[in-house]
Amino acid sequence: MITSFRKLGAEKLNGLSPADRKLEFLKFQTIVPKTIPEKTFYEIILNLNTSTNEIEIKLGKELSEENRFDFMGFEIPVKGNPKKIYFTTNQLRYLDITVPQMIEKIEKDFKKSKEYDEFKKYLLNIKDTFCTEKIRIDKGKEKKYCGLDFEKLQNNIKLEIGKEQVSIKDIEEYCKKVQTENYPDLKSSKKSELKTYVNIYSLKIDGKSILETGFKEDYVNIVDYTLKERYFDKAELKKGICGICGTESDITGKIDIPLSFYITDNKYFFENLTEKNKHKSFSICKNCFEELRIGISEIQKNFGGQVAKGISYYIIPKNNYSDPNFKKVCKKINDKLQGTSSSVNGKFNEIRDIKRVEYKNEDFVLDYLFYTQDKAKFTVLENITDVSYSRMEFIFDELKRLTNEELYSKLIEVVFNHVYVLLFPNKLSHTKVDSKLYQKEFLSLFSSMINGRAINYDKILRNFNYIFKKYYFNTEYNNDRRLRERHIQMNILLTWFNKISGFTGGFDNMVDTSAIPIEDKDILEFFRIHEDIYSNNTYRQGLFLLGYLINKILLEQNDKSGNFMNKINFDGIPSKRVHRLILDVTEYLSIYKIYSENNGVYSQMVDRLQGIDNSELKGDEIVFYVLSGVSFGRYLGHKYYMEKKGGNNE
């Protein structure tokens, strides 16, 4: 995997001069401005006005990916305690100490060189004018430090803050207020939203960024040293073999990689390594480091996402890096995994280009890295390797084929995200959801789907029944719609799973011993679509028909709270209780005088459920197929109503 990152980065640097290579490296380490649909956020600027000797607070450019390289901002590392030298960064409070800490950085790391003397002199003038000695509390103790003198804030800002001594926290609160009050579309934004999405803060002098001054080159060189060159100074270098490209060169073992992933394909690991010999465990040359960091940045920006509300992933291409279509291929798969109906079709030109790729001799090969990240900790949850693009196309084409069946008439939607929604705890089923409780099981299922390994049928039904019960008894939601859709959607998933991976654990079909053929065209069509599940399985067909008749009773009861659904045990129906349920259905059909009009379906149901009392069917399977019949009956009523009305699925 680490080789894939490096090769992707190499494509970005191919053919560049050393100077351009340095700049390109830095560009790919910059912060990607965050955005949120239908809301506009802006860069926040602390401007040091040398004419008035005042500190001004302004809004800058709109936060967008297009402006990323204009901002040229860098995140403060969460590990260690590095100098806060970036003039554009991701946290406002760091700008308080940027000028004095850049001076300290120059004095510490470049004390033997006079290369940055003029830059240092410039910064000292700024420090003398705008900074002062302050005190902060650190672990209960007072500590002195040098930071911006907020007594020099513009008077109107100080009056609005309304405090004699203004802190950086007060400045942060003021900036949130400025964002919301000046732009109507931010009126509804919560403070937590602003903290999450405003991630570009700049320190400017007389309205100019540090890159617009005569010290641009000095600043760029110092940042480059901080992010890369310091790992390759003479004190850190050893002669040896690079652990990535395999060439003999100057190498280092003292590196900082954003993703602690490299052990996923470099198996060697040694304990008790000292500073002097740790390069023997993992070493890297300068060229590979540059390419690796750029590759990581590219993957983080373009090929990542989240599934199951809390499980993050990266799609990592392993070949065809120079093909202009590989981004489109990754994006198409990414859209499918995100599971939004509006994104899965894509634009015509994009799909046309991808189709060209499909007919090439060499298929795209991708890795899928699932992870969690908490501050400095990066944990790999699952690493699925060497998955072909054609395999992913087959998987999602099968799902699309099922959902495009005429019977569903675009009223039933199933996308990849339904795997999570139907089978795992989510906000519709649980008040609080912790992805740690299900992430291992979810990724195991996903891995089976991708690799074509058989899926445990019993476990799938058990999970679904548990989640559906939570849905159904949650009074905040439209239970009728859940009852109408969920089991149809789950039947689609079952058919999909069987097509792409197959089942183990209780799925085996029995021989069809029924004598009375089914005549209802809609039921026959449903069984045709899901023939892998129902064909030649007498009991499943019979249970489905039993549920279909229960829906007829529910319609007569007009969905009263004390209806027939109270007789169904959502935790599972033992096979010996099916006969009792049939008797109850018979009785209610007679009570509501609808027995004769449903006599055909009733006879077909009884014919198929003979001997079920002695079967080995589990309770989860029985209740699922009964409720599938209820769901289908309700769906048909809704379908014909919508066709007559010509409206949307509400």
Side-chain angles (χ1 to χ4, degrees):
M1 183 178 297
I2 194 168
T3 302
S4 299
F5 281 87
R6 200 267 298 177
K7 287 182 178 178
L8 183 59
E11 281 296 323
K12 299 293 180 183
L13 296 175
N14 186 33
L16 297 182
S17 67
D20 289 338
R21 188 180 175 101
K22 176 195 292 186
L23 194 57
E24 195 72 7
F25 170 80
L26 289 180
K27 282 183 176 180
F28 276 91
Q29 311 315 309
T30 56
I31 301 168
V32 178
K34 293 181 180 178
T35 59
I36 184 173
E38 300 179 0
K39 285 186 171 66
T40 305
F41 295 91
Y42 295 85
E43 169 194 23
I44 291 177
I45 299 169
L46 294 187
N47 184 54
L48 309 183
N49 190 326
T50 61
S51 298
T52 62
N53 288 346
E54 288 181 323
I55 300 175
E56 302 165 344
I57 298 177
K58 299 180 177 182
L59 294 181
K61 291 183 178 180
E62 178 183 335
L63 300 193
S64 66
E65 289 191 14
E66 290 76 16
N67 291 333
R68 175 187 181 183
F69 298 146
D70 291 338
F71 292 128
M72 205 71 172
F74 301 92
E75 289 189 1
I76 303 296
V78 293
K79 293 187 287 185
N81 186 27
K83 296 294 183 186
K84 314 303 188 291
I85 64 168
Y86 304 134
F87 277 67
T88 296
T89 186
N90 58 319
Q91 294 195 40
L92 178 65
R93 61 180 52 244
Y94 289 143
L95 300 182
D96 180 19
I97 54 177
T98 295
V99 171
Q101 293 230 344
M102 177 60 91
I103 294 170
E104 291 177 17
K105 176 78 172 177
I106 293 171
E107 290 175 343
K108 178 185 176 183
D109 292 342
F110 306 100
K111 58 186 176 182
K112 295 180 180 179
S113 171
K114 295 184 178 182
E115 184 179 358
Y116 303 113
D117 282 358
E118 289 300 314
F119 186 32
K120 177 183 171 184
K121 188 184 298 183
Y122 172 75
L123 294 173
L124 284 170
N125 287 333
I126 299 297
K127 176 185 173 184
D128 291 342
T129 305
F130 291 98
C131 297
T132 187
E133 190 175 87
K134 299 195 278 191
I135 295 175
R136 69 169 180 265
I137 304 300
D138 184 15
K139 297 179 181 179
K141 295 181 180 180
E142 289 188 351
K143 285 193 174 182
K144 293 181 179 180
Y145 74 100
C146 184
L148 291 176
D149 184 1
F150 294 127
E151 286 295 315
K152 293 184 177 291
L153 274 174
Q154 284 181 311
N155 285 329
N156 63 315
I157 298 176
K158 286 194 289 186
L159 287 172
E160 196 161 343
I161 292 174
K163 290 185 178 181
E164 288 187 11
Q165 290 188 329
V166 178
S167 67
I168 189 64
K169 187 175 181 180
D170 297 325
I171 302 291
E172 288 174 332
E173 292 299 317
Y174 174 80
C175 289
K176 292 174 186 176
K177 187 177 179 182
V178 169
Q179 286 271 12
T180 54
E181 287 188 350
N182 282 275
Y183 299 94
D185 64 327
L186 293 180
K187 287 291 185 183
S188 62
S189 296
K190 300 176 182 178
K191 286 186 177 180
S192 60
E193 252 184 21
L194 287 168
K195 185 176 180 181
T196 301
Y197 289 99
V198 179
N199 67 331
I200 299 289
Y201 301 90
S202 297
L203 183 66
K204 295 190 176 183
I205 301 164
D206 294 331
K208 293 182 178 181
S209 75
I210 195 69
L211 298 174
E212 295 172 308
T213 70
F215 301 102
K216 172 184 176 179
E217 187 175 349
D218 290 348
Y219 178 71
V220 167
N221 287 339
I222 292 172
V223 171
D224 183 61
Y225 175 83
T226 302
L227 294 176
K228 177 187 63 183
E229 293 296 335
R230 65 190 177 98
Y231 301 123
F232 296 94
D233 61 25
K234 292 181 180 179
E236 300 297 337
L237 292 179
K238 308 280 184 182
K239 276 289 184 184
I241 304 297
C242 174
I244 299 180
C245 66
T247 59
E248 184 175 0
S249 58
D250 290 331
I251 58 171
T252 182
K254 184 180 179 180
I255 57 171
D256 180 21
I257 297 177
L259 313 179
S260 302
F261 63 84
Y262 54 83
I263 59 171
T264 56
D265 42 7
N266 286 279
K267 301 299 183 184
Y268 40 77
F269 178 80
F270 304 114
E271 296 180 355
N272 303 318
L273 293 177
T274 65
E275 287 290 324
K276 291 183 178 180
N277 67 9
K278 66 180 179 181
H279 65 280
K280 295 177 183 177
S281 175
F282 181 81
S283 59
I284 189 170
C285 68
K286 186 175 177 179
N287 278 350
C288 284
F289 180 78
E290 290 175 339
E291 294 164 356
L292 177 61
R293 288 294 301 264
I294 288 178
I296 290 172
S297 177
E298 180 74 355
I299 293 294
Q300 288 177 319
K301 177 180 178 293
N302 293 311
F303 308 124
Q306 196 175 85
V307 291
K309 299 298 181 185
I311 304 175
S312 300
Y313 68 86
Y314 291 128
I315 299 174
I316 304 162
K318 297 193 74 172
N319 64 348
N320 289 316
Y321 303 100
S322 59
D323 192 308
N325 289 305
F326 92 84
K327 275 191 180 181
K328 295 175 183 177
V329 166
C330 292
K331 184 180 184 304
K332 184 181 179 185
I333 294 173
N334 198 30
D335 287 345
K336 297 280 189 180
L337 292 176
Q338 297 299 303
T340 55
S341 58
S342 60
S343 67
V344 296
N345 293 323
K347 296 179 180 179
F348 174 79
N349 287 340
E350 181 176 332
I351 300 302
R352 182 192 63 194
D353 288 341
I354 292 173
K355 286 296 181 184
R356 290 174 183 163
V357 175
E358 291 170 357
Y359 293 105
K360 286 190 174 184
N361 292 327
E362 187 178 9
D363 200 353
F364 280 92
V365 179
L366 308 163
D367 286 350
Y368 297 83
L369 181 70
F370 293 88
Y371 68 93
T372 58
Q373 190 163 15
D374 181 18
K375 294 183 179 180
K377 187 179 181 182
F378 183 90
T379 304
V380 175
L381 300 175
E382 184 78 26
N383 181 29
I384 304 173
T385 61
D386 299 327
V387 182
S388 69
Y389 172 69
S390 57
R391 170 65 183 171
M392 296 300 290
E393 277 294 285
F394 164 73
I395 289 171
F396 286 109
D397 281 350
E398 280 297 312
L399 181 59
K400 185 177 180 180
R401 180 185 63 78
L402 287 167
T403 56
N404 281 349
E405 289 284 354
E406 187 177 351
L407 178 64
Y408 299 130
S409 303
K410 299 181 181 178
L411 294 177
I412 292 291
E413 179 186 64
V414 179
V415 292
F416 177 74
N417 193 52
H418 281 95
V419 175
Y420 160 64
V421 171
L422 297 180
L423 298 175
F424 298 94
N426 58 81
K427 67 178 182 179
L428 298 178
S429 63
H430 289 71
T431 304
K432 293 183 178 180
V433 181
D434 184 356
S435 63
K436 293 178 183 177
L437 300 178
Y438 61 79
Q439 59 192 18
K440 183 177 180 181
E441 188 178 348
F442 176 87
L443 292 175
S444 176
L445 173 59
F446 181 75
S447 179
S448 295
M449 293 167 61
I450 296 300
N451 292 312
R453 293 195 304 266
I455 295 167
N456 189 301
Y457 170 76
D458 289 335
K459 189 171 183 59
I460 289 293
L461 288 190
R462 189 162 58 248
N463 279 17
F464 173 80
N465 288 342
Y466 170 73
I467 295 299
F468 179 75
K469 179 183 176 182
K470 292 285 188 179
Y471 282 143
Y472 189 75
F473 292 105
N474 189 338
T475 57
E476 294 182 16
Y477 300 104
N478 183 341
N479 291 337
D480 181 69
R481 182 168 181 175
R482 307 281 175 228
L483 186 59
R484 186 179 78 220
E485 293 182 347
R486 291 307 191 212
H487 285 77
I488 303 295
Q489 291 169 329
M490 191 63 229
N491 273 270
I492 291 173
L493 286 190
L494 284 177
T495 303
W496 186 40
F497 290 161
N498 192 53
K499 289 288 187 185
I500 64 175
S501 293
F503 282 116
T504 185
F507 182 71
D508 293 341
N509 281 319
M510 58 181 287
V511 177
D512 188 351
T513 58
S514 59
I516 305 176
I518 293 172
E519 297 177 353
D520 186 284
K521 63 180 181 62
D522 289 320
I523 295 175
L524 283 172
E525 178 64 2
F526 182 84
F527 286 167
R528 180 197 68 77
I529 293 170
H530 304 289
E531 61 180 346
D532 292 355
I533 301 172
Y534 293 94
S535 179
N536 298 322
N537 196 303
T538 304
Y539 290 154
R540 288 178 193 158
Q541 291 179 14
L543 292 169
F544 182 90
L545 295 174
L546 180 60
Y548 185 81
L549 291 172
I550 289 172
N551 182 62
K552 298 289 187 180
I553 296 169
L554 292 173
L555 292 175
E556 295 296 321
Q557 293 176 328
N558 200 24
D559 295 331
K560 294 177 182 178
S561 58
N563 59 30
F564 198 93
M565 290 296 289
N566 295 335
K567 293 181 175 291
I568 298 177
N569 184 354
F570 282 68
D571 292 322
I573 301 173
S575 59
K576 296 187 181 299
R577 294 287 299 169
V578 174
H579 182 66
R580 177 69 260 175
L581 193 59
I582 294 173
L583 292 177
D584 287 339
V585 167
T586 307
E587 179 184 357
Y588 275 77
L589 289 174
S590 298
I591 289 173
Y592 291 109
K593 299 179 181 180
I594 54 174
Y595 179 85
S596 59
E597 66 187 75
N598 291 287
N599 183 52
V601 175
Y602 181 87
S603 300
Q604 296 154 19
M605 176 268 295
V606 172
D607 178 46
R608 283 161 174 76
L609 293 182
Q610 294 181 59
I612 195 172
D613 292 13
N614 299 317
S615 73
E616 296 182 356
L617 284 179
K618 295 179 181 177
D620 281 312
E621 188 170 16
I622 292 173
V623 73
F624 173 76
Y625 288 109
V626 169
L627 290 179
S628 291
V630 175
S631 177
F632 186 67
R634 299 185 91 71
Y635 168 69
L636 284 180
H638 177 70
K639 176 179 181 291
Y640 289 128
Y641 169 77
M642 295 305 298
E643 287 178 356
K644 183 177 180 180
K645 181 183 175 183
N648 297 319
N649 186 22
E650 296 292 343

